[in-house]
Amino acid sequence: MPHFMIEKSKPYLCAPACLNMVFARFGLPTFPQDYLAEKLQLVVPIGMHGTYPFAQSSDQPADWGVHLTGDTGGPDLIPELLAREGIPLHYRYVAYSRIPRASVTEYVRANLERGVAILVGYRYSVVFGTGMNVGHVGVIEGIGREASNFLIIEPEEGMRVEIDAERLM
């Protein structure tokens, strides 16, 4: 499989940027990030509503962005999006807590070798040591130079980053 082409995200649109990177990697059509964000029920800070008029707004940082998995009590909107747009990808959400801790790196390695695209949720501040401690999404592109590291594509910064798997998860 070819490497991912990096798509830099607009503010609060890390998940749509990551989805587009996956779509492009498999030769599928990509979409404007705003379109995907609307379909995936974007939530932004109250002051950003003018930038994203289709979005819901909240004063709670934990609400901001797109919640891909329905893990906040809402529906999982990815399967619906894939079906509506005719995107022939199989989607499966796996909670980190369901992967045996001792085999996280091996689980990721095995799936990457099978050509599986892996989106990973994490705290932005964990990767960069600065910024808000809010949820964020990146793409795991590979195993790093160190066997215990992942190479991720960080869409907000538009760059590849190598980070310790334990720290990321």
Side-chain angles (χ1 to χ4, degrees), residues 7-26:
E7 179 171 327
K8 190 167 173 28
S9 70
K10 294 179 176 182
Y12 302 99
L13 303 189
C14 54
C18 288
L19 288 172
N20 271 337
M21 287 187 263
V22 171
F23 298 159
R25 180 174 184 221
F26 289 101

Side-chain angles (χ1 to χ4, degrees), residues 2-168:
H3 286 284
F4 291 89
M5 296 296 296
I6 295 174
E7 179 171 327
K8 190 167 173 28
S9 70
K10 294 179 176 182
Y12 302 99
L13 303 189
C14 54
C18 288
L19 288 172
N20 271 337
M21 287 187 263
V22 171
F23 298 159
R25 180 174 184 221
F26 289 101
L28 298 167
T30 60
F31 302 88
Q33 291 178 22
D34 289 13
Y35 175 80
L36 293 174
E38 180 178 6
K39 299 305 177 197
L40 297 172
Q41 300 178 0
L42 174 68
V43 179
V44 296
I46 293 169
M48 293 290 295
H49 196 263
T51 303
Y52 303 111
F54 56 83
Q56 300 170 51
S57 57
S58 170
D59 61 357
Q60 299 297 311
D63 294 340
W64 301 342
V66 169
H67 300 273
L68 292 178
T69 64
D71 59 356
T72 57
D76 186 344
L77 301 172
I78 298 292
E80 182 182 319
L81 172 74
L82 296 176
R84 180 178 43 250
E85 300 301 335
I87 299 171
L89 288 180
H90 172 74
Y91 165 80
R92 182 173 63 135
Y93 170 74
V94 178
Y96 174 68
S97 61
R98 298 195 60 195
I99 303 169
R101 196 154 184 87
S103 62
V104 170
T105 305
E106 190 50 43
Y107 176 87
V108 168
R109 175 183 281 119
N111 277 284
L112 291 172
E113 287 173 357
R114 290 189 2 237
V116 174
I118 302 172
L119 302 185
V120 61
Y122 53 93
R123 300 278 175 214
Y124 181 89
S125 60
V126 167
V127 174
F128 292 101
T130 62
M132 295 183 68
N133 189 29
V134 295
H136 196 53
V137 179
V139 177
I140 298 180
E141 186 172 46
I143 303 299
R145 290 182 296 269
E146 298 284 329
S148 62
N149 289 357
F150 293 148
L151 180 62
I152 65 168
I153 298 176
E154 205 307 304
E156 187 165 318
E157 302 301 324
M159 61 191 289
R160 289 177 170 86
V161 178
E162 185 168 330
I163 188 164
D164 178 77
E166 284 290 316
R167 192 167 143 221
L168 182 66

